[in-house]
Amino acid sequence: MHTLFASGQVEAIATPESVQGIDGLLANDVQMLTQIGFIAAGLGDTRQSSAIFAGLQALRPQRAFAWVGEATAWLNAGKPSEAVRCLGRFEGPPGQERDMVQAFLGLAMQLDGQGQASLRVLKAVAFQPVDPATEGMLLARQILGGHTLEDLNTPTPGAAGTFAKTP
């Protein structure tokens, strides 16, 4: 066991030997591949990042990180419709992972010009009757600009598909 000191908190993390998964990869291997994938995504290198994240999606199909990583690459490459397509393939069960993917899907849809569809997805994630809120729920609320559900359900003339508050 190793101890990690980060932002004033102490967390215990297992040594690589103790976290080998059934697929033969160590947690550190998955983390390293994820980091390399995000570096490629940050550069908009969809060829490299898609290959890495496709492998991670196969290994961890119900975890959000690989799906969000691939979508990030498409967004950085200026191809939000591909990000929408990627995120739409996620089939994880309801919960924290799905909420995160749905929040990113709502963002990708907004960037793809699908304002009304984006709004529906983000509202469905952001205003679930779940306590405490998941990270995906909080992200969806941030993307919606801090609006309440009532704000979003009140039509604003000429603002279809946008989240900006009017003066």
Side-chain angles (χ1 to χ4, degrees):
M1 212 42 106
H2 294 284
T3 303
L4 173 69
F5 296 93
S7 50
Q9 297 179 350
V10 177
E11 298 178 39
I13 55 175
T15 59
E17 299 80 30
S18 66
V19 291
Q20 186 162 354
I22 58 171
D23 52 34
L25 283 180
L26 301 176
N28 285 352
D29 297 332
V30 171
Q31 182 179 10
M32 182 175 56
L33 286 169
T34 302
Q35 290 171 346
I36 293 168
F38 271 105
I39 289 169
L43 298 171
D45 184 345
T46 56
R47 188 175 67 79
Q48 295 294 325
S49 61
S50 290
I52 292 167
F53 287 124
L56 291 170
Q57 289 164 8
L59 290 171
R60 306 287 193 275
Q62 297 187 349
R63 297 292 310 275
F65 70 93
W67 302 91
V68 169
E70 182 181 353
T72 300
W74 289 117
L75 292 174
N76 287 338
K79 297 181 180 183
S81 61
E82 290 298 320
V84 170
R85 181 193 56 75
C86 165
L87 294 167
R89 294 188 337 254
F90 181 78
E91 295 181 0
Q96 184 163 304
E97 301 293 327
R98 176 175 286 282
D99 289 351
M100 184 60 73
V101 169
Q102 291 297 105
F104 271 89
L105 176 61
L107 173 64
M109 292 172 118
Q110 179 68 17
L111 295 172
D112 194 37
Q114 302 177 40
Q116 289 300 317
S118 170
L119 185 58
R120 281 191 299 277
V121 168
L122 290 168
K123 283 176 15 179
V125 175
F127 301 109
Q128 298 176 70
V130 176
D131 190 34
T134 65
E135 288 180 26
M137 291 170 66
L138 297 173
L139 177 60
R141 290 174 189 167
Q142 285 182 320
I143 294 168
L144 290 169
H147 290 279
T148 65
L149 185 57
E150 184 178 313
D151 291 341
L152 295 167
N153 288 334
T154 304
T156 305
T162 64
F163 310 139
K165 290 185 178 181
T166 55

